[in-house]
Amino acid sequence: MMKKTWPLLVVLASPVVYADDPFADPFADPFADEPIAIEDNIHQSRIELKSYYQNNNLRSNHPLNTGQFEFNDEFRFVGLDASLESQWSDQWKTRARVYSRYMVSSAQTNNKEEIDTYLLEGLLQWQSLDQNLVIELGRNTPKWSNGYNYDIANMLQPNRSLPNIDQDNPLQAKGWDMLSAQYYSGHWSMAGYLVKSDSDNPNIDSEAVLRLGYQNDHEFSFLIHKLDQGKLAYGATFSTLLGDETTIRAEWTRHPFRQTNLLDGGERTHYQRLVLGTTYAAIDGWSLTGEFFYNQHGANDNQWQQITELAATSADLLKTGQTQNVDQDRYLAGAGLGLMAQGWSRQRYGSLMFMSGQSEDLWQLRLGSQISLDDSSRLHRVEVLKSINDNLSTRLEVQLFEGCELCEFGLNPNQSNVRFTASWLF
Amino acid sequence: MKLSIKPFGLAMLLSFGAPVVAMVEQTPEPALDTQADAALEVTTDKTPEAVLEVITDEAPDVALDANQLLSYIDSLRGYQDQSFSFELSNISYKKNKQKHRNKLVVKVLNDASLVEFVAPARSKGRKILKQAQNMWIRFPRTRNVLRVSPAQRLLGETSNGDVTGTNFSEDYTATLEASPEKSETIPNKSETPSNKSEVISEKPLLKLLLTAKHDKTTYQKVVFFLDSENHQPVRSDFYARSGKLAKQAYYTEFKEFGGELKLHKMRLVNPIIEGSYTWMMFDNYKKQTLEPAIFHKDALSR
């Protein structure tokens, strides 16, 4: 037990500071004895020490596992995420974010330890005196999406938040090395990005994005994305208010190629994605968010059936020793697993998320479900959040993957998992 | 103090403090500073039911213009036709709960406001941009910028933002009502934590009734009680559309910043929830040339 939970001790052993007297005299000026001036400082930092323990309830007989894989049933993790932003003058600024982690992943017969350090962001920024023009050089993470579960308008490759946004994984916020320029004029903004690509495709060295944005009661943006040697891809976003309680948003992309590996791209000249979403926020604090996602990059029923059945058959042949062609069967079984790991593998998705208001004791509840509408498989997520004090926060997260054996979420190696996270913000 | 102040578009001033507070901590509410203003005194009263006395010795000056008074109230929260910044500290209390604090820096240009959280640590770096009814929030960890609805600033019990963030001149029609009669007593339901009561003022008070011009305001009616000599607000009552008293603000201290008088401290009380109030301190008002570019949603993450 001690071995499993030791990473949490780093955080839990930290001094807990509770707020003072909750029965204060309502008439006494609480500001009388304390300095409240906010210091001007050219350096702003944000340092977070985080630790989690995750236990996976694995599927006992995964149809695509040939026996050569061991899925992890535990993770223990400690990470330090440090950002420093320095405003050297009215025009010059630097920003850096470094992330170090120590993670132990455990399978039945094998433990794997990893210690890594990443530069998530590191850039030099210059801005004109009127701040209308901003030029940045270095590693940056521009975000253009206004979606929640399906951030399709973040068009740089690869999209790091696939397949599911993991809020404890800062690597999903790792930037790209780029030179960018942004110009603001009234309600409009224009931006250009020249990016060194880290796409898996060896033929792609660089990417470029042009973006035009408009902000008012209705907000929209239009994106043009060019991969080195490739054709143009397009994206657009829109959001607006519907009354005081409801926001509506939409995102669309159109690519000249299929973004899903292993699926034949021959049947179409372009592939589109569309996300429609809305959030209702109640006056007493809770909110409800719904999203629909249409994804032409994903597999249709025939393609999905073909791939998964081939993969399952190959895996079965390997497991039973009846294979005629080991390499081919391994490839097919691995391809099935790979498709699943890629995320957004099917064409139609829906999601619903409930978020409670934060209680006076700083508790909060989040409930979320995603459904792959093509096969009705589902991912359910329950999160209970508690801020112990200004610095220490905890979260208990349970995920449940449901669906038939060869359905998208049913193919996840985990039937369920539970993660307890504690983080200390300095 | 002259009353020749025109309405300025600053109302946003606080549209921040509060909304922000609400989103992050869902803080409670508000109000009263004993040392701050001579007009406001706190005494101990044996009576179990708290009472707030409004004492008027003379009739209001009928020559006073209600709209001018309203503009003056707005002027206490910012600078006319001039971009500026200020700092806001909030401490929220609920009965039997630990108190919550936060600190914000607010920048204001016309109808746009940019709020940045400085404390507590869990909220540090969060930014909220408000432009008219439109709001966007930026989370420092993910750099995501998301549109949020005005209702989201009301999370939890706190609707400080709506109380303090309204540009009264733009949203309300003002009427100077006949002054309350001498020694009129107004039940002060908010003072429940103890048997204290407060004498709101030894001086005569003016009663300014604000009625919403449109249905986009959170409150249908606001009643201001103003010091009849210097016209500074002493208390305001906010009534929901249902007619129910929703919030009370006690303006406890004003302070000069750059030669102009501004609201410095106030306490917001939620009369519906016993023992629920928030102290707010506005400080370090600065006239500043703020470029429109920083009030752009796309600039939030830079």
Side-chain angles (χ1 to χ4, degrees):
Chain A
M1 178 63 184
M2 188 63 189
K3 183 184 170 190
K4 288 179 178 177
T5 56
W6 68 263
L8 298 176
L9 298 179
V10 176
V11 172
L12 293 177
S14 305
V16 177
V17 181
Y18 290 97
D20 26 17
D21 181 15
F23 306 102
D25 179 353
F27 299 100
D29 177 0
F31 301 114
D33 299 324
E34 66 173 285
I36 64 111
I38 296 168
E39 290 178 14
D40 279 337
N41 197 332
I42 62 168
H43 304 293
Q44 302 286 335
S45 63
R46 185 179 190 280
I47 300 171
E48 181 176 21
L49 179 64
K50 179 178 279 189
S51 182
Y52 70 70
Y53 169 75
Q54 176 174 324
N55 186 278
N56 298 334
N57 177 23
L58 299 174
R59 296 185 193 281
S60 51
N61 286 307
H62 194 283
L64 303 188
N65 193 352
T66 60
Q68 66 183 129
F69 305 113
E70 265 197 336
F71 296 124
N72 292 313
D73 52 16
E74 272 185 7
F75 290 100
R76 282 161 282 155
F77 164 95
V78 179
L80 186 69
D81 184 356
S83 305
L84 177 65
E85 196 171 296
S86 301
Q87 185 81 47
W88 300 102
S89 71
D90 288 345
Q91 291 188 278
W92 291 96
K93 180 177 174 179
T94 54
R95 188 171 75 225
R97 183 177 177 191
V98 177
Y99 169 59
S100 292
R101 69 173 181 182
Y102 171 65
M103 186 156 76
V104 180
S105 43
S106 306
Q108 233 174 355
T109 61
N110 188 26
N111 279 1
K112 185 180 170 189
E113 291 188 26
E114 294 170 273
I115 300 177
D116 306 296
T117 297
Y118 301 89
L119 178 66
L120 301 182
E121 287 188 317
L123 61 84
L124 173 67
Q125 181 192 90
W126 174 88
Q127 63 182 9
S128 60
L129 284 173
D130 63 7
Q131 303 185 49
N132 283 333
L133 178 63
V134 179
I135 295 173
E136 293 175 327
L137 176 65
R139 184 165 295 179
N140 196 3
T141 316
K143 292 284 181 81
W144 305 305
S145 172
N146 55 21
Y148 287 82
N149 284 308
Y150 314 109
D151 53 348
I152 61 172
N154 292 331
M155 296 179 74
L156 288 176
Q157 300 295 312
N159 183 343
R160 304 198 199 283
S161 60
L162 286 171
N164 290 305
I165 291 170
D166 179 351
Q167 54 195 310
D168 295 324
N169 182 8
L171 290 181
Q172 292 187 336
K174 184 174 174 239
W176 291 260
D177 296 334
M178 65 175 69
L179 172 65
S180 68
Q182 299 150 57
Y183 182 74
Y184 301 88
S185 177
H187 293 299
W188 296 88
S189 67
M190 285 145 276
Y193 305 83
L194 184 60
V195 182
K196 180 177 180 288
S197 178
D198 57 0
S199 165
D200 292 338
N201 187 334
N203 296 319
I204 298 175
D205 295 324
S206 64
E207 303 175 48
V209 174
L210 289 175
R211 180 180 182 274
L212 177 68
Y214 176 81
Q215 164 193 317
N216 207 341
D217 290 345
H218 305 301
E219 170 208 345
F220 64 82
S221 69
F222 184 66
L223 296 126
I224 301 175
H225 179 210
K226 185 179 188 307
L227 290 169
D228 193 20
Q229 302 175 352
K231 296 178 185 175
L232 297 179
Y234 302 95
T237 67
F238 171 80
S239 75
T240 191
L241 273 178
L242 193 66
D244 277 353
E245 296 88 16
T246 308
T247 57
I248 293 176
R249 60 187 174 277
E251 290 184 24
W252 165 85
T253 61
R254 179 185 188 273
H255 286 82
F257 53 88
R258 196 167 203 166
Q259 281 193 312
T260 308
N261 296 334
L262 309 168
L263 288 176
D264 183 2
E267 62 190 84
R268 291 177 181 277
T269 57
H270 59 265
Y271 294 84
Q272 301 188 73
R273 285 182 172 133
L274 175 70
V275 173
L276 301 174
T278 183
T279 297
Y280 172 82
I283 279 182
D284 52 3
W286 57 269
S287 66
L288 192 63
T289 296
E291 287 184 302
F292 170 75
F293 175 30
Y294 175 63
N295 175 34
Q296 281 184 338
H297 295 263
N300 61 29
D301 286 345
N302 286 338
Q303 291 166 332
W304 182 259
Q305 187 176 1
Q306 194 178 356
I307 289 174
T308 53
E309 285 184 359
L310 270 176
T313 303
S314 294
D316 192 49
L317 289 173
L318 287 166
K319 275 189 283 191
T320 56
Q322 296 177 319
T323 178
Q324 305 288 316
N325 186 332
V326 174
D327 290 340
Q328 177 179 299
D329 284 333
R330 279 185 179 167
Y331 171 79
L332 288 172
L337 283 171
L339 181 64
M340 185 184 57
Q342 191 171 261
W344 299 354
S345 304
R346 302 304 306 272
Q347 295 196 329
R348 295 176 304 142
Y349 295 88
S351 77
L352 203 59
M353 180 172 67
F354 167 83
M355 191 160 66
S356 76
Q358 198 175 39
S359 75
E360 282 306 314
D361 293 325
L362 304 179
W363 288 93
Q364 190 176 34
L365 175 68
R366 294 183 199 154
L367 304 172
S369 286
Q370 294 182 49
I371 179 168
S372 174
L373 296 169
D374 292 312
D375 58 22
S376 297
S377 62
R378 298 162 300 280
L379 159 61
H380 305 290
R381 182 181 294 148
V382 179
E383 296 170 87
V384 180
L385 300 95
K386 164 71 176 168
S387 290
I388 309 294
N389 58 30
D390 288 350
N391 303 87
L392 179 62
S393 301
T394 59
R395 191 177 88 254
L396 179 66
E397 176 186 288
V398 178
Q399 293 191 122
L400 180 63
F401 298 86
E402 286 186 332
C404 67
E405 196 175 50
L406 293 180
C407 294
E408 184 173 10
F409 289 115
L411 276 172
N412 193 292
N414 300 335
Q415 278 185 307
S416 62
N417 57 47
V418 56
R419 179 189 293 184
F420 179 72
T421 303
S423 72
W424 182 273
L425 266 162
F426 293 91
Chain B
M1 182 66 65
K2 291 162 67 177
L3 285 181
S4 57
I5 299 157
K6 292 180 185 172
F8 55 96
L10 150 45
M12 318 259 67
L13 154 106
L14 313 187
S15 34
F16 309 95
V20 184
V21 178
M23 291 202 67
V24 182
E25 303 204 343
Q26 282 125 46
T27 11
E29 347 296 69
L32 146 59
D33 174 2
T34 49
Q35 320 170 1
D37 197 313
L40 198 68
E41 291 182 16
V42 179
T43 58
T44 305
D45 192 331
K46 300 291 183 189
T47 4
E49 186 177 359
V51 196
L52 185 150
E53 285 190 66
V54 179
I55 304 168
T56 310
D57 290 332
E58 56 190 50
D61 180 354
V62 290
L64 281 173
D65 181 280
N67 289 325
Q68 279 188 322
L69 286 172
L70 190 54
S71 298
Y72 176 56
I73 293 170
D74 279 340
S75 79
L76 292 169
R77 306 160 131 210
Y79 298 92
Q80 181 181 9
D81 300 330
Q82 165 73 54
S83 53
F84 64 96
S85 66
F86 64 92
E87 295 164 6
L88 173 59
S89 295
N90 298 287
I91 305 180
S92 301
Y93 301 83
K94 281 233 168 172
K95 196 172 186 181
N96 300 333
K97 304 285 184 186
Q98 61 185 53
K99 63 187 178 185
H100 301 300
R101 298 165 180 255
N102 59 47
K103 291 184 181 179
L104 322 162
V105 175
V106 184
K107 295 175 179 173
V108 181
L109 173 65
N110 300 323
D111 69 342
S113 313
L114 180 62
V115 179
E116 180 166 3
F117 280 74
V118 177
R122 64 173 175 272
S123 308
K124 188 177 172 186
R126 190 174 297 188
K127 289 182 182 175
I128 292 179
L129 171 66
K130 182 173 185 288
Q131 196 165 48
Q133 287 289 98
N134 303 295
M135 294 176 69
W136 291 268
I137 186 167
R138 175 258 200 182
F139 299 95
R141 204 167 38 175
T142 63
R143 307 195 78 75
N144 279 341
V145 178
L146 297 174
R147 181 191 275 271
V148 293
S149 59
Q152 268 172 287
R153 60 182 160 162
L154 295 174
L155 290 182
E157 297 300 334
T158 321
S159 55
N160 303 0
D162 278 297
V163 174
T164 54
T166 306
N167 184 333
F168 296 113
S169 298
E170 279 186 7
D171 296 331
Y172 291 89
T173 303
T175 312
L176 190 57
E177 288 208 331
S179 176
E181 302 214 349
K182 186 175 180 179
S183 297
E184 175 186 356
T185 57
I186 300 173
N188 182 5
K189 297 173 185 172
S190 61
E191 308 313 329
T192 45
S194 70
N195 286 335
K196 289 183 178 180
S197 68
E198 50 193 318
V199 176
I200 193 169
S201 176
E202 299 292 351
K203 304 173 191 173
L205 296 175
L206 301 174
K207 189 175 178 183
L208 191 67
L209 173 64
L210 312 189
T211 311
K213 291 177 183 173
H214 50 77
D215 60 5
K216 289 186 176 175
T217 58
T218 304
Y219 301 102
Q220 173 63 28
K221 186 176 81 168
V222 183
V223 180
F224 266 92
F225 295 93
L226 309 176
D227 186 304
S228 62
E229 289 178 3
N230 60 21
H231 303 129
Q232 290 172 4
V234 176
R235 195 188 86 190
S236 55
D237 297 343
F238 296 81
Y239 292 89
R241 298 195 168 275
S242 62
K244 204 170 181 180
L245 178 63
K247 294 281 155 51
Q248 288 179 305
Y250 291 81
Y251 304 90
T252 62
E253 188 173 339
F254 296 85
K255 185 177 170 184
E256 283 201 359
F257 294 90
E260 294 188 35
L261 195 68
K262 301 293 169 206
L263 171 63
H264 184 42
K265 291 177 185 174
M266 67 184 285
R267 192 178 58 135
L268 278 174
V269 176
N270 184 343
I272 299 165
I273 301 175
E274 183 180 330
S276 170
Y277 58 96
T278 296
W279 273 94
M280 304 173 79
M281 176 158 71
F282 309 91
D283 210 0
N284 208 11
Y285 283 90
K286 283 183 203 165
K287 286 184 184 175
Q288 240 183 330
T289 301
L290 299 172
E291 299 296 338
I294 69 168
F295 295 93
H296 203 286
K297 168 235 174 191
D298 293 331
L300 282 179
S301 57
R302 77 187 194 190

